Amino acid sequence: MSDPIAAPFLSSVMAIEPAWIDYNGHLNVAYYNVLFDRAIDELYLPIGLGPDYLKETKHSTMVVESHVRYLREVHLGAPLRISAQLIGFDAKRFHVYQEMLHAEEGWVSATCETMTVHVDMTAKKVAPFPEAIMAALQRVKDAHAVLPVPAAVGRRIAMPAAK
């Protein structure tokens, strides 16, 4: 029997490194992506997409599109956790929505929505997931089906039309 899948998935508590603080005194935008990426690496392990998967199969994943929203600044010393929800997947890609949370107070600092593809690293081409990964993604999707689709999913960046 497989371990139950959390809905949503929650990363371990992460710390902001001092070098990540910018001249405005808060977490620099580049490092939000580092934290979101580290959380996805944690989610990958129960799915079977970790570093061993690359070594054994010569396949991996690559983000092809990302949308980050910065909602509330975080500072050095703030404990952070990332929640992740699988929105959908098909034979070659998956769509994930993440929220960066203050680990103690629970408020949302940022969100990140990504589209990720499965890649044959030898051919450098998008390739279908093997059956075992498809089954694992389905387990996550089934567990996450109890969650509502976040209101921010599918947002786009646009300027209001000039009047």
Side-chain angles (χ1 to χ4, degrees):
M1 171 130 173
S2 300
D3 291 333
I5 303 293
F9 168 81
L10 284 174
S11 74
S12 60
V13 175
M14 296 184 267
I16 297 170
E17 296 182 19
W20 298 354
I21 300 300
D22 65 19
Y23 55 82
N24 292 316
H26 57 220
L27 183 62
N28 179 275
V29 296
Y31 296 101
Y32 282 81
N33 286 313
V34 169
L35 293 165
F36 283 124
D37 192 53
R38 286 181 178 177
I40 286 296
D41 284 345
E42 290 182 26
L43 175 61
Y44 275 9
L45 294 177
I47 294 172
L49 288 171
D52 291 341
Y53 178 74
L54 172 61
K55 262 188 254 179
E56 293 166 10
T57 68
K58 305 294 187 258
H59 285 70
S60 190
T61 61
M62 293 183 183
V63 172
V64 294
E65 187 171 346
S66 180
H67 182 178
V68 179
R69 294 183 316 135
Y70 306 96
L71 306 174
R72 185 170 171 181
E73 64 185 352
V74 289
H75 301 93
L76 189 62
L80 302 172
R81 261 187 125 152
I82 309 292
S83 70
Q85 180 177 347
L86 180 64
I87 301 300
F89 73 96
D90 63 20
K92 297 180 182 180
R93 62 190 172 171
F94 56 86
H95 178 190
V96 173
Y97 175 82
Q98 297 174 280
E99 292 184 339
M100 182 178 292
L101 309 166
H102 189 284
E104 294 168 354
E105 298 172 12
W107 46 264
V108 178
S109 171
T111 67
C112 181
E113 186 175 359
T114 57
M115 185 65 68
T116 301
V117 295
H118 184 246
V119 177
D120 177 331
M121 297 299 284
T122 304
K124 292 292 186 181
K125 289 187 165 202
V126 176
F129 291 111
E131 284 185 33
I133 299 299
M134 288 291 287
L137 286 168
Q138 188 62 55
R139 284 186 59 237
V140 174
K141 181 68 175 135
D142 291 346
H144 290 189
V146 300
L147 301 169
V149 175
V153 167
R155 288 183 55 143
R156 64 184 184 91
I157 297 172
M159 295 290 293
K163 292 184 181 191

